[in-house]
Amino acid sequence: MEKQNSFQEQKELMVLADIDGDELNARYQAYSSIDDQSSLQAIRQKAHIERHRSSRKYLRYAAVALLFVMGGAAYWYSQYTKVTPPEIPQAVQLAMKQSTDSGKQDAVISKLEIKRENADSNHDVIDDKETISPAEGSSLNSVSESEVIQSLTKEQLLAARRVTTKHDTEYWVTLDDGTLVHLNYNTRLIHPERFGRGDRNVILDGEAYFMVAQDKSRPFVVHTQNGDIKVYGTEFNVNTDASSTTVVLVKGSVGLTSAKGIELRLEPGQLGEMKANEIELVDKQVETDIYTSWNEGHYKFKDCRLDKLMQILGHWYGMEVEFENYQNRSIPFTGSINKYKSITPALHAIEYATGLTITVKNNHIVIK
């Protein structure tokens, strides 16, 4: 066996001996090149596999991250566009029932009539012929057509509703978004049947209590003759007439904007007023229930002049009031009166507090 191996080795040496140095070197370089190429190819293949694995890993991470981002965005959008109707207090629910039972829950509801000024015009105007006339006891002021057109889109106008209360009625309106609006007597509200994607615009002439549904994506704006009220919160009282608009904020935040575009932000308990091009903070802290108690079924007065008090009662109960002594008009009254009971207990309370004599005959009240 050892001899065979020795013979084989001798044979290989003889073969190598027959190859000169140059050829032997060339063969060595060729073999080395083959080994280097194989190694390089192996390294490249391994690197490619690693890159592929790495790419798949990063893609998985990216997919997970994208899912988190999309989920967060979807949650944010759902919260941003979420509509939350107001919670109606039990006192307001009771007032609504008492108003209905007593026949005070009543209003004239009509659709706005849109007509062209002429065949070639794109300008729409509002036919306001159904407004309650002064002969019926209304003190409504006419909101200009231009204000209506500017505050509501064409689509909203075509399906807008006008709700008007008389001199002795009130009305609760639930809007498309769940907002609850309580209209006092002699009040008109213009609102779309359905709100669009933009601002929720309504127009008010008179007095109303607003409990606004929360919707961060669609601001709620109340347009009045003296300026606009942009709602950032939930509850407030608005009283507007020809000369001014007063706003008492109960909860949340509102901004009053005059014709000049200047905005005044109110905080809860504050009273702001808009007059034509003027806007001011009248009182930094008021007793809000004096301004809003009518929304819960009673009138609350504090040092209220007797003539103003009797004007309110006269409207609500549909009665005329006469003062035999002019000086008695300025007597202050503090107290609370239930809106849904007869006027008799209220008059007795006023007599007791003021020491005056009050008589009633044929819907005519005489104070002496």
Side-chain angles (χ1 to χ4, degrees), residues 51-67:
R51 283 198 301 268
H52 182 66
R53 289 177 178 175
S54 205
S55 297
R56 292 178 61 186
K57 179 174 68 175
Y58 289 135
L59 284 175
R60 286 197 300 269
Y61 290 158
V64 172
L66 182 61
L67 286 175

Side-chain angles (χ1 to χ4, degrees), residues 194-210:
R194 293 189 178 279
F195 291 116
R197 294 184 178 180
D199 292 356
R200 295 171 289 168
N201 295 290
V202 300
I203 298 168
L204 178 70
D205 194 6
E207 183 174 18
Y209 190 89
F210 287 82

Side-chain angles (χ1 to χ4, degrees), residues 123-139:
H123 181 65
D124 295 318
V125 298
I126 308 303
D127 184 358
D128 209 20
K129 64 183 181 181
E130 297 181 19
T131 301
I132 294 179
S133 64
E136 296 179 77
S138 172
S139 61

Side-chain angles (χ1 to χ4, degrees), residues 20-33:
D20 58 22
D22 293 338
E23 184 178 355
L24 183 62
N25 184 58
R27 290 189 180 187
Y28 175 77
Q29 293 294 335
Y31 293 148
S32 299
S33 176

Side-chain angles (χ1 to χ4, degrees), residues 31-305:
Y31 293 148
S32 299
S33 176
I34 292 173
D35 291 342
D36 290 343
Q37 290 177 4
S38 299
S39 299
L40 181 61
Q41 184 176 3
I43 291 172
R44 287 176 177 174
Q45 184 175 4
K46 183 176 181 181
H48 176 72
I49 294 173
E50 290 297 326
R51 283 198 301 268
H52 182 66
R53 289 177 178 175
S54 205
S55 297
R56 292 178 61 186
K57 179 174 68 175
Y58 289 135
L59 284 175
R60 286 197 300 269
Y61 290 158
V64 172
L66 182 61
L67 286 175
F68 275 110
V69 171
M70 291 179 63
Y75 176 78
W76 175 86
Y77 184 76
S78 66
Q79 293 300 308
Y80 184 68
T81 58
K82 182 180 179 180
V83 180
T84 306
E87 294 184 6
I88 311 303
Q90 187 174 357
V92 175
Q93 296 181 37
L94 178 60
M96 295 171 71
K97 182 179 184 305
Q98 290 178 321
S99 181
T100 301
D101 293 343
S102 63
K104 290 291 187 178
Q105 167 80 345
D106 189 29
V108 176
I109 303 176
S110 59
K111 185 175 181 178
L112 289 180
E113 295 183 18
I114 312 300
K115 63 182 181 181
R116 296 285 184 181
E117 287 186 328
N118 56 64
D120 299 326
S121 173
N122 291 322
H123 181 65
D124 295 318
V125 298
I126 308 303
D127 184 358
D128 209 20
K129 64 183 181 181
E130 297 181 19
T131 301
I132 294 179
S133 64
E136 296 179 77
S138 172
S139 61
L140 292 176
N141 303 290
S142 177
V143 177
S144 68
E145 294 168 354
S146 62
E147 288 182 277
V148 176
I149 293 172
Q150 289 173 5
S151 61
L152 299 180
T153 65
K154 172 71 177 299
E155 292 73 17
Q156 290 174 329
L157 279 171
L158 292 175
R161 287 284 183 270
R162 178 200 290 110
V163 183
T164 309
T165 56
K166 297 181 180 180
H167 68 282
D168 59 350
T169 64
E170 62 185 342
Y171 199 76
W172 276 272
V173 184
T174 301
L175 304 183
D176 170 54
D177 61 344
T179 292
L180 183 65
V181 186
H182 182 189
L183 307 182
N184 207 349
Y185 59 81
N186 284 346
T187 297
R188 177 175 59 193
L189 178 74
I190 296 175
H191 69 91
E193 285 186 338
R194 293 189 178 279
F195 291 116
R197 294 184 178 180
D199 292 356
R200 295 171 289 168
N201 295 290
V202 300
I203 298 168
L204 178 70
D205 194 6
E207 183 174 18
Y209 190 89
F210 287 82
M211 300 179 69
V212 180
Q214 293 184 355
D215 185 347
K216 295 179 181 179
S217 65
R218 298 183 301 171
F220 193 96
V221 183
V222 182
H223 300 271
T224 75
Q225 294 183 85
N226 305 293
D228 300 336
I229 305 159
K230 190 171 183 179
V231 182
Y232 301 97
T234 51
E235 295 187 30
F236 56 98
N237 191 80
V238 183
N239 194 345
T240 181
D241 56 34
S243 60
S244 67
T245 295
T246 59
V247 180
V248 174
L249 181 62
V250 178
K251 295 180 182 179
S253 178
V254 298
L256 311 185
T257 305
S258 66
K260 291 183 178 180
I262 301 174
E263 184 182 59
L264 171 66
R265 286 284 192 105
L266 295 184
E267 297 180 358
Q270 293 184 338
L271 185 152
E273 184 176 42
M274 295 182 289
K275 291 183 179 179
N277 294 327
E278 299 178 3
I279 185 170
E280 67 173 320
L281 178 62
V282 178
D283 200 327
K284 293 183 177 180
Q285 191 62 51
V286 299
E287 294 184 33
T288 57
D289 55 351
I290 294 176
Y291 299 89
T292 65
S293 58
W294 67 273
N295 181 54
E296 297 182 347
H298 60 277
Y299 293 117
K300 184 175 181 179
F301 303 99
K302 182 177 181 181
D303 295 328
C304 179
R305 284 176 56 103

Side-chain angles (χ1 to χ4, degrees), residues 294-361:
W294 67 273
N295 181 54
E296 297 182 347
H298 60 277
Y299 293 117
K300 184 175 181 179
F301 303 99
K302 182 177 181 181
D303 295 328
C304 179
R305 284 176 56 103
L306 192 57
D307 56 354
K308 183 178 179 180
L309 182 153
M310 293 308 302
Q311 181 184 27
I312 294 173
L313 296 184
H315 272 301
W316 183 245
Y317 289 99
M319 305 181 75
E320 296 182 1
V321 180
E322 177 186 348
F323 284 87
E324 286 193 352
N325 186 337
Y326 186 84
Q327 293 181 346
N328 291 339
R329 292 172 175 266
S330 60
I331 295 177
F333 175 83
T334 298
S336 181
I337 296 174
N338 190 314
K339 291 170 54 179
Y340 304 115
K341 291 184 177 180
S342 72
I343 195 172
T344 302
L347 296 180
H348 287 333
I350 295 171
E351 281 185 317
Y352 178 80
T354 62
L356 301 176
T357 300
I358 302 176
T359 59
V360 179
K361 185 177 181 180

